[in-house]
């Protein structure tokens, strides 16, 4: 990452917000033509605004990345550059998704409090402009100096926003009696399934950033071990994405296999990552032990004594997993240097 003066970066972010607002306003005027529209439902403003704001947020992240981190890969070998570029592409999709889902959730909430409201063309355009400015500034700021802890925080936020939107729009209001996978069934199943698929992409990207931090910390001599860490996190992301790609009502066996594989691979990733760190911090050791004990107790309460429902079990397990991941990436951010570390190995496999 290039060194950027904080005041200059803030000035750029402000101008980015202005540009995103104007772009959102222009796009909003184009897509909102015609009669006044309701906030949600068929012909509502929610989806057009979400598409406009998501696209502009993704573009804002791309522009910021080129402005602030264009020289980061100049001295890197091709394989390290490829990993960095693929991560940037994944993050562009993720920021567009986070913004779009955030808009959809916000519009659904507004529709409850503003029942029956219909927006004319200019009202819908202004809504698109404000959403684009907020999402665009968020994405532009992230491109200045994205850290692994920022990705973990975004992953948690994205999963919460996506799941809440899926819950609000669920075809079956009693889905919670079984499990979260029920949200992936029905007319609005795309909300949950799409959230899980993009969430898997984010998990894989977090894994590449964890590998980046470990490389900055340990150097080329630890690349074989770091490669296993990244491979496990990417496999975890693929398995999580498969949960959404194979909905419960279509291919039950593959859906269940993907869900189990996600849990197993996440556990393996946690263990291998902890072992790859030089002298795991005390906070990480304590959190790991506590999370393992709590998960075992929770599973027993659900499976053996049937005190907790499957839905509650899933909430607790995912929450504990995010708690552990947050502790890991915060520990890495403290230990690993901020400066980029180009590898001296021309090939990842042959050294």
């Amino acid at each position: 990452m290039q060194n950027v003066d904080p005041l200059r970066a803030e000035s750029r972010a402000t101008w980015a917000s202005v540009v995103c607002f104007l772009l959102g306003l222009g796009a909003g005027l184009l897509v909102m033509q015609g009669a006044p529209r309701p906030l949600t439902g068929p012909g509502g403003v929610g989806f057009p605004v979400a598409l406009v704001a998501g696209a502009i947020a993704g573009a804002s992240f791309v522009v910021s990345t080129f402005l602030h981190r264009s020289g980061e890969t100049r001295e890197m070998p091709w394989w390290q550059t490829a990993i960095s570029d693929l991560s940037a592409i994944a993050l562009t999709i993720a920021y567009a998704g986070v913004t779009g889902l955030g808009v959809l959730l916000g519009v659904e909430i507004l529709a409850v409090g503003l029942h029956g409201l219909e927006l004319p063309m200019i009202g819908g355009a202004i809504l698109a402009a404000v959403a684009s400015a907020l999402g665009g500034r968020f994405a532009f700021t992230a491109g200045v100096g994205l850290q692994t802890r920022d990705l973990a925080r975004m992953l948690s936020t994205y999963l919460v926003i996506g799941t809440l939107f899926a819950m609000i729009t669920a075809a079956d209001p009693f889905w919670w009696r079984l499990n979260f996978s029920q949200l992936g069934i029905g007319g609005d199943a795309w909300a949950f399934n799409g959230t899980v698929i993009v969430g898997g992409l984010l998990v894989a990207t977090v894994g590449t950033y964890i590998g980046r931090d470990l490389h900055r910390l340990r150097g080329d001599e630890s690349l074989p071990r770091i490669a296993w860490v990244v491979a496990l996190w990417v496999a975890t992301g693929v398995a999580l994405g498969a949960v959404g790609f194979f909905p419960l009502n279509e291919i039950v066996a593959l859906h269940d296999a993907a869900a189990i594989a996600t849990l197993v691979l996440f556990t393996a990733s946690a263990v291998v990552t902890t072992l790859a760190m030089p002298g795991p911090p005390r906070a990480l050791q304590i959190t790991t032990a506590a999370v393992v004990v709590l998960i075992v107790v929770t599973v027993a309460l659900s499976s053996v004594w049937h005190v907790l429902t499957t839905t509650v079990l899933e909430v607790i397990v995912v929450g504990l997993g995010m708690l552990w991941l947050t502790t890991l990436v915060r520990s890495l951010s403290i230990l690993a240097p901020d400066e980029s570390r180009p590898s001296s190995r021309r090939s990842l496999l042959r050294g």
Side-chain angles (χ1 to χ4, degrees), residues 7 10 24 61 71 73 100 140-142 156 164 168 182 203 219 223 225 230 281 291 314 320 341-342:
L7 290 177
E10 183 63 24
F61 178 76
T73 61
F140 188 89
T141 304
S156 301
L164 286 175
I168 291 175
Q182 301 301 313
V203 169
L223 275 177
R225 179 180 292 185
V230 175
V291 166
E314 291 174 339
L320 290 173
R341 184 170 188 171

Side-chain angles (χ1 to χ4, degrees), residues 329-348:
V329 296
R330 288 183 66 85
S331 299
L332 273 175
S333 67
I334 294 172
L335 296 174
D338 292 332
E339 294 78 16
S340 176
R341 184 170 188 171
S343 174
S344 60
R345 296 177 58 160
R346 297 298 98 187
S347 170
L348 179 61

Side-chain angles (χ1 to χ4, degrees), residues 5-324:
D5 177 69
L7 290 177
R8 186 181 181 187
E10 183 63 24
S11 177
R12 283 181 172 180
T14 301
W15 279 111
S17 302
V18 173
V19 172
C20 289
F21 180 91
L22 294 175
L23 289 174
L25 182 63
L29 290 173
L30 288 176
V31 301
M32 296 295 174
Q33 295 183 27
R37 303 188 185 192
L39 289 173
T40 60
V45 303
F47 279 99
V49 170
L51 289 175
V52 168
I56 290 176
S60 181
F61 178 76
V62 171
V63 171
S64 181
T65 299
F66 275 107
L67 280 176
H68 301 106
R69 297 192 290 150
S70 59
E72 191 175 53
T73 61
R74 187 175 297 118
E75 299 179 4
M76 292 181 179
W78 69 268
W79 59 267
Q80 197 175 13
T81 300
I83 293 174
S84 179
D85 291 343
L86 288 174
S87 298
I89 293 172
L91 287 173
T92 301
I93 297 172
Y95 276 106
V98 168
T99 302
L101 275 178
V103 169
L104 290 174
L105 178 61
V107 169
E108 287 287 341
I109 295 173
L110 283 176
V112 175
L114 303 173
H115 185 70
L117 174 67
E118 292 187 345
L119 290 177
M121 180 180 66
I122 187 62
I126 291 175
L127 182 61
V130 172
S132 298
L134 292 174
R137 183 185 180 90
F138 171 62
F140 188 89
T141 304
V144 176
L146 193 64
Q147 300 295 322
T148 311
R149 62 178 180 271
D150 301 323
L151 282 183
R153 192 181 302 116
M154 186 174 74
L155 172 62
S156 301
T157 302
Y158 177 74
L159 291 177
V160 170
I161 290 174
T163 303
L164 286 175
F165 177 69
M167 291 164 60
I168 291 175
T169 58
D172 179 12
F174 300 105
W175 63 268
W176 50 269
R177 292 177 177 175
L178 295 175
N179 50 54
F180 273 94
S181 293
Q182 301 301 313
L183 291 172
I185 300 174
D188 292 314
W190 65 267
F192 179 77
N193 294 331
T195 295
V196 174
I197 291 172
V198 178
L201 186 66
L202 266 175
V203 169
T205 307
V206 169
T208 65
Y209 271 71
I210 289 173
R212 182 200 69 174
D213 289 350
L214 287 173
H215 178 251
R216 290 179 177 180
L217 192 59
R218 306 204 63 160
D220 285 351
E221 63 274 7
S222 296
L223 275 177
R225 179 180 292 185
I226 295 172
W228 275 106
V229 171
V230 175
L232 282 171
W233 281 109
V234 171
T236 304
V238 171
L240 179 60
V243 172
F245 193 76
F246 301 112
L248 182 63
N249 62 324
E250 295 183 9
I251 311 177
V252 178
L254 288 178
H255 178 89
D256 291 343
I260 294 172
T262 301
L263 181 60
V264 172
L265 287 168
F266 182 87
T267 303
S269 301
V271 172
V272 173
T273 303
T274 302
L275 293 176
M277 294 182 66
R282 188 72 172 173
L284 182 60
Q285 294 178 353
I286 294 173
T287 303
T288 302
V291 166
V292 170
V293 171
L294 288 172
I295 288 178
V296 170
V297 171
T298 303
V299 171
L301 288 173
S302 176
S303 303
V304 179
W305 294 295
H306 305 289
V307 176
L308 302 177
T309 64
T310 303
T311 304
V312 175
L313 170 65
E314 291 174 339
V315 170
I316 294 175
V317 170
V318 172
L320 290 173
M322 289 298 100
L323 172 63
W324 180 87

